[in-house]
Amino acid sequence: MNKTVDWYISRGFTPKMAEYFASGRRRIMGVTAHEDFSLSLLFDNDEKKIFDMKELIQPNTVFECLADWQIFNRVYLDSNSVVSWDKDPAINSEENWQNKIDISSDTLYVDSHPI
């Protein structure tokens, strides 16, 4: 059974997220960091979008350390194609998940802007 926009909304999704999930989720195929703390994203449907991380990079949040360009610039796609950063590049985040910061691919798709 395909789930409709109304089905997702009835479960508390915002209209924007409901439309996204009803039309099918997207997978990120590529990510690039920019000096203005934005990310260029390539999705599995060949869409290219840009996401501004500045609003998320705030004191006392999980993203706080990304204000350091050296850390922000180390963005990568993990084994599940999730945009991720390792706080310490010497620690394997596959073994120590507390070293890893990631952001939802669904959020990145819905809240990014076409290039």
Side-chain angles (χ1 to χ4, degrees):
M1 174 175 103
N2 288 337
K3 296 178 174 114
T4 66
V5 171
D6 289 336
W7 186 89
Y8 285 103
I9 289 173
S10 74
R11 273 136 184 96
F13 286 68
T14 65
K16 199 172 179 182
M17 274 295 188
E19 288 176 25
Y20 165 74
F21 278 99
S23 67
R25 298 175 76 185
R26 303 272 41 115
R27 185 175 180 96
I28 298 174
M29 306 305 290
V31 61
T32 304
H34 298 284
E35 289 182 11
D36 66 353
F37 293 90
S38 66
L39 300 170
S40 290
L41 304 160
L42 174 64
F43 291 90
D44 59 353
N45 61 352
D46 290 326
E47 276 187 88
K48 294 177 184 170
K49 293 186 159 200
I50 194 133
F51 184 83
D52 186 352
M53 286 288 297
K54 287 188 287 299
E55 288 185 27
L56 296 177
I57 302 172
Q58 300 295 324
N60 302 313
T61 69
V62 68
F63 299 109
E64 177 179 25
C65 69
L66 298 180
D68 178 340
W69 170 248
Q70 298 304 317
I71 296 173
F72 186 79
N73 192 41
R74 292 195 309 252
V75 66
Y76 67 95
L77 293 178
D78 72 5
S79 59
N80 295 310
S81 294
V82 174
V83 172
S84 305
W85 294 265
D86 294 332
K87 296 177 205 172
D88 181 343
I91 297 174
N92 182 346
S93 289
E94 297 294 322
E95 295 174 12
N96 182 349
W97 62 269
Q98 294 176 339
N99 185 55
K100 184 180 190 177
I101 300 168
D102 61 25
I103 186 167
S104 162
S105 300
D106 303 324
T107 295
L108 290 172
Y109 186 84
V110 171
D111 293 339
S112 60
H113 303 283
I115 295 178

